[in-house]
PDB file of all heavy atoms in Angstrom:
ATOM      1  N   PHE A   5      -6.639 -39.211 -58.726  1.00  0.00           N
ATOM      2  CA  PHE A   5      -6.262 -38.764 -57.400  1.00  0.00           C
ATOM      3  C   PHE A   5      -4.878 -38.188 -57.508  1.00  0.00           C
ATOM      4  O   PHE A   5      -3.954 -38.870 -57.890  1.00  0.00           O
ATOM      5  CB  PHE A   5      -6.279 -39.974 -56.461  1.00  0.00           C
ATOM      6  CG  PHE A   5      -6.320 -39.612 -55.021  1.00  0.00           C
ATOM      7  CD1 PHE A   5      -7.440 -38.995 -54.489  1.00  0.00           C
ATOM      8  CD2 PHE A   5      -5.255 -39.896 -54.204  1.00  0.00           C
ATOM      9  CE1 PHE A   5      -7.488 -38.679 -53.153  1.00  0.00           C
ATOM     10  CE2 PHE A   5      -5.303 -39.575 -52.864  1.00  0.00           C
ATOM     11  CZ  PHE A   5      -6.418 -38.963 -52.340  1.00  0.00           C
ATOM     12  N   PHE A   7      -2.313 -36.146 -55.365  1.00  0.00           N
ATOM     13  CA  PHE A   7      -1.885 -35.567 -54.108  1.00  0.00           C
ATOM     14  C   PHE A   7      -0.388 -35.304 -54.137  1.00  0.00           C
ATOM     15  O   PHE A   7       0.342 -35.926 -54.876  1.00  0.00           O
ATOM     16  CB  PHE A   7      -2.107 -36.562 -52.969  1.00  0.00           C
ATOM     17  CG  PHE A   7      -3.407 -36.437 -52.263  1.00  0.00           C
ATOM     18  CD1 PHE A   7      -3.733 -37.343 -51.279  1.00  0.00           C
ATOM     19  CD2 PHE A   7      -4.296 -35.419 -52.554  1.00  0.00           C
ATOM     20  CE1 PHE A   7      -4.908 -37.243 -50.588  1.00  0.00           C
ATOM     21  CE2 PHE A   7      -5.475 -35.316 -51.874  1.00  0.00           C
ATOM     22  CZ  PHE A   7      -5.791 -36.237 -50.893  1.00  0.00           C
ATOM     23  N   GLU A 108      -9.020 -45.542 -48.264  1.00  0.00           N
ATOM     24  CA  GLU A 108      -9.065 -44.112 -48.605  1.00  0.00           C
ATOM     25  C   GLU A 108      -7.770 -43.402 -48.203  1.00  0.00           C
ATOM     26  O   GLU A 108      -7.787 -42.231 -47.829  1.00  0.00           O
ATOM     27  CB  GLU A 108     -10.287 -43.453 -47.954  1.00  0.00           C
ATOM     28  CG  GLU A 108     -11.626 -43.949 -48.474  1.00  0.00           C
ATOM     29  CD  GLU A 108     -12.098 -43.232 -49.743  1.00  0.00           C
ATOM     30  OE1 GLU A 108     -11.490 -42.240 -50.129  1.00  0.00           O
ATOM     31  OE2 GLU A 108     -13.085 -43.708 -50.337  1.00  0.00           O
ATOM     32  N   GLY A 109      -6.665 -44.126 -48.241  1.00  0.00           N
ATOM     33  CA  GLY A 109      -5.381 -43.447 -48.091  1.00  0.00           C
ATOM     34  C   GLY A 109      -4.901 -43.240 -46.658  1.00  0.00           C
ATOM     35  O   GLY A 109      -4.040 -42.407 -46.412  1.00  0.00           O
ATOM     36  N   GLY A 110      -5.457 -44.017 -45.715  1.00  0.00           N
ATOM     37  CA  GLY A 110      -5.122 -43.798 -44.302  1.00  0.00           C
ATOM     38  C   GLY A 110      -3.716 -44.203 -43.902  1.00  0.00           C
ATOM     39  O   GLY A 110      -3.189 -43.724 -42.902  1.00  0.00           O
ATOM     40  N   THR A 112      -0.744 -43.449 -44.707  1.00  0.00           N
ATOM     41  CA  THR A 112       0.242 -42.478 -45.205  1.00  0.00           C
ATOM     42  C   THR A 112       0.091 -41.254 -44.314  1.00  0.00           C
ATOM     43  O   THR A 112      -1.019 -40.966 -43.875  1.00  0.00           O
ATOM     44  CB  THR A 112      -0.093 -42.058 -46.662  1.00  0.00           C
ATOM     45  OG1 THR A 112      -0.053 -43.194 -47.505  1.00  0.00           O
ATOM     46  CG2 THR A 112       0.877 -41.033 -47.195  1.00  0.00           C
ATOM     47  N   VAL A 113       1.187 -40.562 -44.056  1.00  0.00           N
ATOM     48  CA  VAL A 113       1.057 -39.258 -43.377  1.00  0.00           C
ATOM     49  C   VAL A 113       0.968 -38.204 -44.470  1.00  0.00           C
ATOM     50  O   VAL A 113       1.924 -37.982 -45.205  1.00  0.00           O
ATOM     51  CB  VAL A 113       2.263 -38.981 -42.456  1.00  0.00           C
ATOM     52  CG1 VAL A 113       2.182 -37.565 -41.899  1.00  0.00           C
ATOM     53  CG2 VAL A 113       2.309 -39.998 -41.324  1.00  0.00           C
ATOM     54  N   TRP A 114      -0.196 -37.579 -44.588  1.00  0.00           N
ATOM     55  CA  TRP A 114      -0.396 -36.547 -45.614  1.00  0.00           C
ATOM     56  C   TRP A 114       0.025 -35.203 -45.040  1.00  0.00           C
ATOM     57  O   TRP A 114      -0.111 -34.949 -43.844  1.00  0.00           O
ATOM     58  CB  TRP A 114      -1.846 -36.526 -46.061  1.00  0.00           C
ATOM     59  CG  TRP A 114      -2.254 -37.817 -46.702  1.00  0.00           C
ATOM     60  CD1 TRP A 114      -2.824 -38.878 -46.076  1.00  0.00           C
ATOM     61  CD2 TRP A 114      -2.046 -38.210 -48.057  1.00  0.00           C
ATOM     62  NE1 TRP A 114      -3.017 -39.914 -46.960  1.00  0.00           N
ATOM     63  CE2 TRP A 114      -2.545 -39.522 -48.189  1.00  0.00           C
ATOM     64  CE3 TRP A 114      -1.502 -37.580 -49.169  1.00  0.00           C
ATOM     65  CZ2 TRP A 114      -2.515 -40.213 -49.399  1.00  0.00           C
ATOM     66  CZ3 TRP A 114      -1.478 -38.273 -50.377  1.00  0.00           C
ATOM     67  CH2 TRP A 114      -1.976 -39.568 -50.485  1.00  0.00           C
ATOM     68  N   CYS A 116      -1.183 -32.190 -45.032  1.00  0.00           N
ATOM     69  CA  CYS A 116      -2.125 -31.324 -44.291  1.00  0.00           C
ATOM     70  C   CYS A 116      -2.365 -31.850 -42.871  1.00  0.00           C
ATOM     71  O   CYS A 116      -2.772 -31.079 -41.996  1.00  0.00           O
ATOM     72  CB  CYS A 116      -3.453 -31.205 -45.028  1.00  0.00           C
ATOM     73  SG  CYS A 116      -3.305 -30.327 -46.584  1.00  0.00           S
ATOM     74  N   GLY A 117      -2.120 -33.139 -42.643  1.00  0.00           N
ATOM     75  CA  GLY A 117      -2.218 -33.667 -41.270  1.00  0.00           C
ATOM     76  C   GLY A 117      -1.169 -33.025 -40.376  1.00  0.00           C
ATOM     77  O   GLY A 117      -1.440 -32.662 -39.220  1.00  0.00           O
ATOM     78  N   GLU A 137     -11.190 -36.904 -34.102  1.00  0.00           N
ATOM     79  CA  GLU A 137     -10.440 -36.741 -35.355  1.00  0.00           C
ATOM     80  C   GLU A 137     -11.091 -37.610 -36.416  1.00  0.00           C
ATOM     81  O   GLU A 137     -11.108 -38.843 -36.308  1.00  0.00           O
ATOM     82  CB  GLU A 137      -8.945 -37.081 -35.215  1.00  0.00           C
ATOM     83  CG  GLU A 137      -8.270 -36.756 -36.556  1.00  0.00           C
ATOM     84  CD  GLU A 137      -6.785 -37.004 -36.670  1.00  0.00           C
ATOM     85  OE1 GLU A 137      -6.136 -37.386 -35.682  1.00  0.00           O
ATOM     86  OE2 GLU A 137      -6.291 -36.830 -37.806  1.00  0.00           O
ATOM     87  N   LEU A 138     -11.614 -36.970 -37.435  1.00  0.00           N
ATOM     88  CA  LEU A 138     -12.301 -37.678 -38.532  1.00  0.00           C
ATOM     89  C   LEU A 138     -11.310 -37.984 -39.652  1.00  0.00           C
ATOM     90  O   LEU A 138     -10.565 -37.095 -40.063  1.00  0.00           O
ATOM     91  CB  LEU A 138     -13.391 -36.787 -39.121  1.00  0.00           C
ATOM     92  CG  LEU A 138     -14.729 -36.688 -38.406  1.00  0.00           C
ATOM     93  CD1 LEU A 138     -15.614 -35.660 -39.122  1.00  0.00           C
ATOM     94  CD2 LEU A 138     -15.442 -38.019 -38.320  1.00  0.00           C
ATOM     95  N   GLY A 139     -11.331 -39.221 -40.164  1.00  0.00           N
ATOM     96  CA  GLY A 139     -10.393 -39.602 -41.230  1.00  0.00           C
ATOM     97  C   GLY A 139      -8.971 -39.492 -40.746  1.00  0.00           C
ATOM     98  O   GLY A 139      -8.115 -38.877 -41.367  1.00  0.00           O
ATOM     99  N   CYS A 140      -8.690 -40.148 -39.606  1.00  0.00           N
ATOM    100  CA  CYS A 140      -7.451 -39.860 -38.854  1.00  0.00           C
ATOM    101  C   CYS A 140      -6.188 -40.439 -39.481  1.00  0.00           C
ATOM    102  O   CYS A 140      -5.121 -39.861 -39.331  1.00  0.00           O
ATOM    103  CB  CYS A 140      -7.589 -40.353 -37.415  1.00  0.00           C
ATOM    104  SG  CYS A 140      -7.860 -42.134 -37.279  1.00  0.00           S
ATOM    105  N   GLY A 141      -6.268 -41.612 -40.145  1.00  0.00           N
ATOM    106  CA  GLY A 141      -5.031 -42.237 -40.623  1.00  0.00           C
ATOM    107  C   GLY A 141      -4.053 -42.409 -39.480  1.00  0.00           C
ATOM    108  O   GLY A 141      -4.370 -43.018 -38.453  1.00  0.00           O
ATOM    109  N   ALA A 142      -2.871 -41.829 -39.620  1.00  0.00           N
ATOM    110  CA  ALA A 142      -1.837 -41.931 -38.568  1.00  0.00           C
ATOM    111  C   ALA A 142      -2.300 -41.334 -37.238  1.00  0.00           C
ATOM    112  O   ALA A 142      -1.833 -41.727 -36.178  1.00  0.00           O
ATOM    113  CB  ALA A 142      -0.582 -41.194 -39.027  1.00  0.00           C
ATOM    114  N   GLN A 160     -11.372 -41.652 -35.753  1.00  0.00           N
ATOM    115  CA  GLN A 160     -12.251 -42.311 -36.721  1.00  0.00           C
ATOM    116  C   GLN A 160     -11.517 -42.458 -38.037  1.00  0.00           C
ATOM    117  O   GLN A 160     -10.846 -41.529 -38.490  1.00  0.00           O
ATOM    118  CB  GLN A 160     -13.528 -41.470 -36.905  1.00  0.00           C
ATOM    119  CG  GLN A 160     -14.563 -42.054 -37.854  1.00  0.00           C
ATOM    120  CD  GLN A 160     -14.227 -41.876 -39.328  1.00  0.00           C
ATOM    121  OE1 GLN A 160     -13.480 -40.977 -39.710  1.00  0.00           O
ATOM    122  NE2 GLN A 160     -14.755 -42.748 -40.167  1.00  0.00           N
ATOM    123  N   ASP A 161     -11.620 -43.627 -38.639  1.00  0.00           N
ATOM    124  CA  ASP A 161     -11.085 -43.817 -39.990  1.00  0.00           C
ATOM    125  C   ASP A 161     -12.017 -44.740 -40.771  1.00  0.00           C
ATOM    126  O   ASP A 161     -12.689 -45.594 -40.187  1.00  0.00           O
ATOM    127  CB  ASP A 161      -9.679 -44.414 -39.966  1.00  0.00           C
ATOM    128  CG  ASP A 161      -8.989 -44.204 -41.298  1.00  0.00           C
ATOM    129  OD1 ASP A 161      -8.338 -43.162 -41.481  1.00  0.00           O
ATOM    130  OD2 ASP A 161      -9.133 -45.071 -42.184  1.00  0.00           O
ATOM    131  N   TYR A 162     -12.032 -44.577 -42.060  1.00  0.00           N
ATOM    132  CA  TYR A 162     -12.862 -45.424 -42.916  1.00  0.00           C
ATOM    133  C   TYR A 162     -12.519 -46.905 -42.728  1.00  0.00           C
ATOM    134  O   TYR A 162     -13.384 -47.766 -42.686  1.00  0.00           O
ATOM    135  CB  TYR A 162     -12.596 -45.031 -44.376  1.00  0.00           C
ATOM    136  CG  TYR A 162     -13.547 -45.618 -45.356  1.00  0.00           C
ATOM    137  CD1 TYR A 162     -14.764 -45.014 -45.605  1.00  0.00           C
ATOM    138  CD2 TYR A 162     -13.239 -46.787 -46.037  1.00  0.00           C
ATOM    139  CE1 TYR A 162     -15.659 -45.557 -46.496  1.00  0.00           C
ATOM    140  CE2 TYR A 162     -14.118 -47.340 -46.937  1.00  0.00           C
ATOM    141  CZ  TYR A 162     -15.330 -46.717 -47.158  1.00  0.00           C
ATOM    142  OH  TYR A 162     -16.205 -47.265 -48.050  1.00  0.00           O
ATOM    143  N   ASN A 163     -11.243 -47.151 -42.561  1.00  0.00           N
ATOM    144  CA  ASN A 163     -10.717 -48.493 -42.717  1.00  0.00           C
ATOM    145  C   ASN A 163     -10.249 -49.055 -41.369  1.00  0.00           C
ATOM    146  O   ASN A 163      -9.352 -48.494 -40.740  1.00  0.00           O
ATOM    147  CB  ASN A 163      -9.538 -48.369 -43.700  1.00  0.00           C
ATOM    148  CG  ASN A 163      -9.031 -49.684 -44.160  1.00  0.00           C
ATOM    149  OD1 ASN A 163      -8.468 -50.406 -43.347  1.00  0.00           O
ATOM    150  ND2 ASN A 163      -9.205 -50.000 -45.410  1.00  0.00           N
ATOM    151  N   GLY A 193     -15.432 -47.081 -40.377  1.00  0.00           N
ATOM    152  CA  GLY A 193     -16.650 -47.046 -41.183  1.00  0.00           C
ATOM    153  C   GLY A 193     -16.866 -45.701 -41.851  1.00  0.00           C
ATOM    154  O   GLY A 193     -16.137 -44.745 -41.614  1.00  0.00           O
ATOM    155  N   ASP A 194     -17.886 -45.700 -42.692  1.00  0.00           N
ATOM    156  CA  ASP A 194     -18.181 -44.511 -43.485  1.00  0.00           C
ATOM    157  C   ASP A 194     -18.791 -43.412 -42.608  1.00  0.00           C
ATOM    158  O   ASP A 194     -19.548 -43.697 -41.682  1.00  0.00           O
ATOM    159  CB  ASP A 194     -19.169 -44.902 -44.592  1.00  0.00           C
ATOM    160  CG  ASP A 194     -19.302 -43.816 -45.630  1.00  0.00           C
ATOM    161  OD1 ASP A 194     -18.444 -43.764 -46.526  1.00  0.00           O
ATOM    162  OD2 ASP A 194     -20.248 -43.019 -45.543  1.00  0.00           O
ATOM    163  N   TRP A 195     -18.472 -42.161 -42.921  1.00  0.00           N
ATOM    164  CA  TRP A 195     -19.013 -41.031 -42.150  1.00  0.00           C
ATOM    165  C   TRP A 195     -20.542 -41.030 -42.129  1.00  0.00           C
ATOM    166  O   TRP A 195     -21.142 -40.533 -41.182  1.00  0.00           O
ATOM    167  CB  TRP A 195     -18.522 -39.693 -42.736  1.00  0.00           C
ATOM    168  CG  TRP A 195     -17.047 -39.494 -42.580  1.00  0.00           C
ATOM    169  CD1 TRP A 195     -16.297 -39.781 -41.471  1.00  0.00           C
ATOM    170  CD2 TRP A 195     -16.139 -38.968 -43.549  1.00  0.00           C
ATOM    171  NE1 TRP A 195     -14.979 -39.468 -41.710  1.00  0.00           N
ATOM    172  CE2 TRP A 195     -14.861 -38.961 -42.970  1.00  0.00           C
ATOM    173  CE3 TRP A 195     -16.286 -38.501 -44.857  1.00  0.00           C
ATOM    174  CZ2 TRP A 195     -13.723 -38.517 -43.646  1.00  0.00           C
ATOM    175  CZ3 TRP A 195     -15.167 -38.053 -45.537  1.00  0.00           C
ATOM    176  CH2 TRP A 195     -13.902 -38.059 -44.932  1.00  0.00           C
ATOM    177  N   ALA A 214      -8.144 -33.722 -41.553  1.00  0.00           N
ATOM    178  CA  ALA A 214      -7.134 -33.285 -42.536  1.00  0.00           C
ATOM    179  C   ALA A 214      -7.190 -34.158 -43.779  1.00  0.00           C
ATOM    180  O   ALA A 214      -7.310 -35.387 -43.691  1.00  0.00           O
ATOM    181  CB  ALA A 214      -5.732 -33.376 -41.913  1.00  0.00           C
ATOM    182  N   GLU A 215      -7.096 -33.526 -44.916  1.00  0.00           N
ATOM    183  CA  GLU A 215      -7.064 -34.209 -46.235  1.00  0.00           C
ATOM    184  C   GLU A 215      -8.289 -35.106 -46.419  1.00  0.00           C
ATOM    185  O   GLU A 215      -8.186 -36.239 -46.882  1.00  0.00           O
ATOM    186  CB  GLU A 215      -5.782 -35.061 -46.390  1.00  0.00           C
ATOM    187  CG  GLU A 215      -4.485 -34.303 -46.192  1.00  0.00           C
ATOM    188  CD  GLU A 215      -3.866 -33.746 -47.462  1.00  0.00           C
ATOM    189  OE1 GLU A 215      -4.589 -33.558 -48.453  1.00  0.00           O
ATOM    190  OE2 GLU A 215      -2.655 -33.480 -47.437  1.00  0.00           O
ATOM    191  N   THR A 216      -9.447 -34.579 -46.074  1.00  0.00           N
ATOM    192  CA  THR A 216     -10.660 -35.390 -46.150  1.00  0.00           C
ATOM    193  C   THR A 216     -11.715 -34.792 -47.075  1.00  0.00           C
ATOM    194  O   THR A 216     -12.811 -35.330 -47.166  1.00  0.00           O
ATOM    195  CB  THR A 216     -11.266 -35.535 -44.735  1.00  0.00           C
ATOM    196  OG1 THR A 216     -11.257 -34.256 -44.108  1.00  0.00           O
ATOM    197  CG2 THR A 216     -10.490 -36.521 -43.883  1.00  0.00           C
ATOM    198  N   TYR A 218     -11.277 -34.168 -50.446  1.00  0.00           N
ATOM    199  CA  TYR A 218     -10.897 -34.323 -51.854  1.00  0.00           C
ATOM    200  C   TYR A 218     -12.088 -34.758 -52.711  1.00  0.00           C
ATOM    201  O   TYR A 218     -12.139 -34.486 -53.896  1.00  0.00           O
ATOM    202  CB  TYR A 218      -9.718 -35.295 -52.004  1.00  0.00           C
ATOM    203  CG  TYR A 218      -9.896 -36.606 -51.265  1.00  0.00           C
ATOM    204  CD1 TYR A 218     -10.569 -37.670 -51.838  1.00  0.00           C
ATOM    205  CD2 TYR A 218      -9.388 -36.776 -49.977  1.00  0.00           C
ATOM    206  CE1 TYR A 218     -10.737 -38.862 -51.161  1.00  0.00           C
ATOM    207  CE2 TYR A 218      -9.544 -37.958 -49.290  1.00  0.00           C
ATOM    208  CZ  TYR A 218     -10.227 -38.994 -49.875  1.00  0.00           C
ATOM    209  OH  TYR A 218     -10.402 -40.170 -49.183  1.00  0.00           O
ATOM    210  N   ASN A 222     -18.545 -36.539 -50.573  1.00  0.00           N
ATOM    211  CA  ASN A 222     -18.565 -36.741 -49.120  1.00  0.00           C
ATOM    212  C   ASN A 222     -18.932 -35.479 -48.325  1.00  0.00           C
ATOM    213  O   ASN A 222     -18.999 -35.536 -47.101  1.00  0.00           O
ATOM    214  CB  ASN A 222     -17.180 -37.227 -48.633  1.00  0.00           C
ATOM    215  CG  ASN A 222     -16.955 -38.693 -48.955  1.00  0.00           C
ATOM    216  OD1 ASN A 222     -17.901 -39.472 -48.980  1.00  0.00           O
ATOM    217  ND2 ASN A 222     -15.711 -39.056 -49.205  1.00  0.00           N
ATOM    218  N   LYS A 225     -21.932 -35.751 -46.063  1.00  0.00           N
ATOM    219  CA  LYS A 225     -21.669 -36.639 -44.905  1.00  0.00           C
ATOM    220  C   LYS A 225     -20.894 -35.888 -43.829  1.00  0.00           C
ATOM    221  O   LYS A 225     -21.194 -35.987 -42.640  1.00  0.00           O
ATOM    222  CB  LYS A 225     -20.831 -37.852 -45.336  1.00  0.00           C
ATOM    223  CG  LYS A 225     -21.490 -38.775 -46.333  1.00  0.00           C
ATOM    224  CD  LYS A 225     -20.524 -39.906 -46.682  1.00  0.00           C
ATOM    225  CE  LYS A 225     -20.947 -40.673 -47.901  1.00  0.00           C
ATOM    226  NZ  LYS A 225     -19.950 -41.666 -48.318  1.00  0.00           N
TER     227      LYS A 225
HETATM  228  C1  SAM B   1      -5.985 -38.863 -47.581  1.00  0.00           C
HETATM  229  S1  SAM B   1      -6.325 -39.685 -46.088  1.00  0.00           S
HETATM  230  C2  SAM B   1      -5.809 -38.503 -44.851  1.00  0.00           C
HETATM  231  C3  SAM B   1      -5.341 -39.190 -43.576  1.00  0.00           C
HETATM  232  C4  SAM B   1      -4.880 -38.249 -42.468  1.00  0.00           C
HETATM  233  N1  SAM B   1      -5.953 -37.392 -42.034  1.00  0.00           N
HETATM  234  C5  SAM B   1      -3.696 -37.411 -42.887  1.00  0.00           C
HETATM  235  O1  SAM B   1      -3.868 -36.214 -43.158  1.00  0.00           O
HETATM  236  O2  SAM B   1      -2.578 -37.948 -42.951  1.00  0.00           O
HETATM  237  C6  SAM B   1      -8.097 -39.532 -46.014  1.00  0.00           C
HETATM  238  C7  SAM B   1      -8.683 -40.149 -44.760  1.00  0.00           C
HETATM  239  O3  SAM B   1     -10.091 -39.939 -44.713  1.00  0.00           O
HETATM  240  C8  SAM B   1     -10.761 -41.150 -44.448  1.00  0.00           C
HETATM  241  N2  SAM B   1     -12.015 -41.163 -45.222  1.00  0.00           N
HETATM  242  C9  SAM B   1     -12.176 -40.815 -46.521  1.00  0.00           C
HETATM  243  N3  SAM B   1     -13.448 -40.942 -46.898  1.00  0.00           N
HETATM  244  C10 SAM B   1     -14.125 -41.383 -45.811  1.00  0.00           C
HETATM  245  C11 SAM B   1     -15.497 -41.697 -45.564  1.00  0.00           C
HETATM  246  N4  SAM B   1     -16.415 -41.601 -46.522  1.00  0.00           N
HETATM  247  N5  SAM B   1     -15.847 -42.128 -44.335  1.00  0.00           N
HETATM  248  C12 SAM B   1     -14.897 -42.236 -43.371  1.00  0.00           C
HETATM  249  N6  SAM B   1     -13.588 -41.937 -43.515  1.00  0.00           N
HETATM  250  C13 SAM B   1     -13.206 -41.523 -44.741  1.00  0.00           C
HETATM  251  C14 SAM B   1      -9.815 -42.240 -44.906  1.00  0.00           C
HETATM  252  O4  SAM B   1      -9.956 -43.452 -44.235  1.00  0.00           O
HETATM  253  C15 SAM B   1      -8.436 -41.630 -44.709  1.00  0.00           C
HETATM  254  O5  SAM B   1      -7.877 -41.943 -43.477  1.00  0.00           O
END
Side-chain angles (χ1 to χ4, degrees):
F5 198 67
F7 267 176
E108 294 275 351
T112 299
V113 173
W114 297 93
C116 293
E137 185 180 356
L138 279 176
C140 61
Q160 182 283 336
D161 198 89
Y162 191 84
N163 190 292
D194 192 83
W195 293 318
E215 305 267 22
T216 45
Y218 49 86
N222 284 328
K225 297 179 194 174

